[in-house]
Amino acid sequence: MPNCNSCGRKWNWKNAFIKYLRFNRGVECPYCGENQYVTPKSRKRTGLISIAPTLTLIPAVQFEIHWTIVISILSVTAVLVMFLSLYMIELTNKDKPLW
């Protein structure tokens, strides 16, 4: 779970998930009220992991797996990616460009 850079408190799962859905630019720490930003390194990692659900389509097409199984696999991998990315988020006080 992410830690606030200002107050050092670890966000709980509920706060991290809600804030994760809104991490467009900056997000306010639920404890101290300071704006927090996702680090570029963390954005790159979560971006790479978010490719996983689409990578499951390659073997599905190659082996002609039934579409209901493919949708089930895509759903499970999407949920796993969302949960894993919450644990990979690192925060900073300043907004830094991705590159």
Side-chain angles (χ1 to χ4, degrees), residues 2-11 29 32 34 36 91 93:
N3 291 329
C4 176
N5 248 10
S6 296
C7 64
R9 293 186 66 182
K10 184 181 273 193
W11 293 8
C29 174
C32 67
E34 290 290 322
Q36 297 294 303
L91 300 175
N93 291 336

Side-chain angles (χ1 to χ4, degrees), residues 11-96:
W11 293 8
N12 63 23
W13 189 89
K14 181 182 173 186
N15 281 335
F17 182 73
I18 291 170
K19 303 294 184 182
Y20 174 72
L21 295 176
R22 300 181 190 169
F23 257 128
N24 51 0
R25 292 306 277 156
V27 113
E28 190 175 292
C29 174
Y31 302 109
C32 67
E34 290 290 322
N35 274 343
Q36 297 294 303
Y37 303 93
V38 180
T39 63
K41 181 181 175 184
S42 180
R43 280 190 271 172
K44 289 175 189 174
R45 273 190 279 163
T46 56
L48 285 175
I49 283 183
S50 66
I51 297 171
T54 55
L55 290 178
T56 60
L57 291 175
I58 296 169
V61 170
Q62 187 176 10
F63 297 117
E64 298 176 5
I65 299 174
H66 196 266
W67 64 272
T68 55
I69 296 172
V70 172
I71 290 174
S72 300
I73 293 171
L74 282 173
S75 300
V76 168
T77 55
V79 168
L80 283 174
V81 163
M82 198 172 351
F83 285 118
L84 286 175
S85 61
L86 285 177
Y87 289 96
M88 299 176 79
I89 293 175
E90 295 173 357
L91 300 175
T92 183
N93 291 336
K94 298 187 185 223
D95 189 18
K96 299 176 184 175

